[in-house]
Amino acid sequence: MIPSFSYIRPRSLDEAIRYLSLDGARLHAGGTDLLGCLREGIFEAATVVSIAGIKELKGIVPTPAGGLRIGALTTIAEIVRHPIINSKYRALSMAAAEVASPQLRNQGTVGGNICQKPRCWYYRGEFNCLRKGGDLCYAVEGENQYHCIFGGENCFIVHPSDTAPALVALQASVVIAGPNGRRTVAVENLHVPPSEDYTRETVLEPDEIITEIVLPPPAAGLRSSYRKVRARRAWDFALAGVALAIEFNGDRAVDCRAVLNGAAPVPWRSLEIDATVKGRTLDGDRAAEAAAAAVKDAEPMAQNGYKIPLFRGLIEQELTGIAQAGSG
Ligand SMILES: Cc1cc2nc3c(=O)[nH]c(=O)nc-3n(C[C@H](O)[C@H](O)[C@H](O)COP(=O)(O)OP(=O)(O)OC[C@H]3O[C@@H](n4cnc5c(N)ncnc54)[C@H](O)[C@@H]3O)c2cc1C
Ligand code: SF4
């Protein structure tokens, strides 16, 4: 049962920010993750502030610069079926299509998707682990088959959002509104690694709201993709995933941004893939070389060594596939 809380549904952003500055206030968008966290007792809320009625957080519109502005309340389903996202920012529509189930895609928003809480089973269970304010990471000596192989320090979660790695690959940024006005942060810098602070997932303060996501104009020759491997064919989070955004000139990759999912506590930029691919012809041999480079420095835990060949195969396949695909 969810403990009781006050529920407020402000009509303006300023009003929402004021309520969020109250002690124990929590932001609610689609609620698909927040209500689960409250029900499971991961944290409590004295006041739940729903932003669902704030009109300026909705809608997908082109920017004057030729990019795209996606309101934070845009549902995952709206992203999947949007024609511009489908044709110009393919990695994002492919990632959105991989999120959860049709019902959750209809209810869940993109703002909530990139801010959702981790899925570590100790964190979601009745364990007062390090991330919840305790003094132990239970995954270190426990069941760690779904935990990270890169970037683990103190806490070993994998970042759960499918859309965030695609947004990082596509060089998106978020606009954040708070009591001191607005600021823009690259999605690449939105998530906080546990080496910096293992008690928070994002750089957001409790009274800050993501208002929109901004995608830059797609570069000439850009192709992008997202692929996810999961344990079950039904809804599930990524065991391994890769988002690619590569600018091609013929069969040469002029630029490359590869971001791994299910690999690290934050969307994980694979600079090894970028360096192997960038400025060179992308063929099968190059794809295999990049995939080997990507996993070279992985640090598996006791039970997740299987992720290394999994990522290696996935990356090689995806690089080969994108080299053979048309533009988009
Ligand atoms: C059964 C199940 C399966 C799932 N499978 C997947 C999956 O495969 N892939 C995947 O990526 N996700 C998955 N999810 C997570 C789900 O997609 C996200 O929970 C959903 O997109 C979150 O959106 P929401 O609007 O419901 O967020 P909410 O639950 O309303 O919020 C989630 C968190 O984000 C914060 N937040 C929300 N909007 C904003 C904003 N604009 N500014 C600042 N903070 C904000 C909230 O305070 C809260 O902490 C799954 C969830 C469930 C329950
Ligand atoms: S991996 Fe992180 S969330 Fe999971 S038990 Fe360890 S500290 Fe907690």
Side-chain angles (χ1 to χ4, degrees), residues 118-124 127-132 136-140 147-148 153-158 194 198 201 301:
R119 288 277 154 183
C120 168
W121 41 35
Y122 297 107
Y123 178 82
R124 294 272 167 172
F127 295 84
N128 188 33
C129 73
L130 213 51
R131 187 168 284 274
K132 278 158 82 175
L136 195 64
C137 170
Y138 293 88
V140 173
H147 288 75
C148 68
E153 191 177 320
N154 304 309
C155 167
F156 298 83
I157 54 164
V158 290
Y198 50 76
E201 289 78 39
M301 302 176 80

Side-chain angles (χ1 to χ4, degrees), residues 121-291:
W121 41 35
Y122 297 107
Y123 178 82
R124 294 272 167 172
E126 291 168 5
F127 295 84
N128 188 33
C129 73
L130 213 51
R131 187 168 284 274
K132 278 158 82 175
D135 52 12
L136 195 64
C137 170
Y138 293 88
V140 173
E141 298 285 326
E143 299 292 325
N144 49 37
Q145 50 268 54
Y146 297 140
H147 288 75
C148 68
I149 57 170
F150 293 108
E153 191 177 320
N154 304 309
C155 167
F156 298 83
I157 54 164
V158 290
H159 176 77
S161 160
D162 283 307
T163 62
L167 290 167
V168 173
L170 292 166
Q171 302 188 61
S173 50
V174 285
V175 178
I176 299 169
N180 301 320
R182 294 189 186 221
R183 60 187 177 122
T184 300
V185 173
V187 179
E188 183 170 356
N189 300 325
L190 176 67
H191 299 99
V192 178
S195 54
E196 275 174 31
D197 185 348
Y198 50 76
T199 62
R200 66 196 295 176
E201 289 78 39
T202 69
V203 298
L204 293 172
E205 297 302 329
D207 55 359
E208 286 190 313
I209 301 174
I210 293 178
T211 60
E212 63 213 59
I213 291 160
V214 181
L215 285 159
L222 178 72
R223 292 179 213 164
S224 70
S225 70
Y226 179 75
R227 172 124 172 257
K228 161 181 175 179
V229 176
R230 56 183 123 192
R232 306 180 305 166
R233 289 190 69 189
W235 69 263
D236 214 345
F237 291 85
L239 280 183
V242 59
L244 297 173
I246 303 181
E247 293 165 38
F248 281 93
N249 183 355
D251 56 5
R252 202 170 72 90
V254 180
D255 203 1
C256 173
R257 284 171 69 91
V259 185
L260 306 184
N261 203 19
V266 296
W268 188 255
R269 273 203 68 187
S270 176
L271 301 178
E272 295 79 8
I273 297 180
D274 299 358
T276 309
V277 165
K278 202 168 152 180
R280 302 162 89 182
T281 299
L282 182 52
D283 54 18
D285 287 346
R286 190 82 61 228
E289 189 189 336

Side-chain angles (χ1 to χ4, degrees), residues 27 29-34 100 109 113 115-116 162 210 228 236-237:
L27 187 157
T32 59
D33 184 44
L34 182 84
T109 66
N113 189 259
C115 294
Q116 62 179 291
D162 283 307
I210 293 178
K228 161 181 175 179
D236 214 345
F237 291 85

Side-chain angles (χ1 to χ4, degrees), residues 33-48:
D33 184 44
L34 182 84
L35 296 180
C37 290
L38 294 177
R39 193 169 39 241
E40 289 158 21
I42 294 166
F43 49 73
E44 292 176 353
T47 309
V48 168

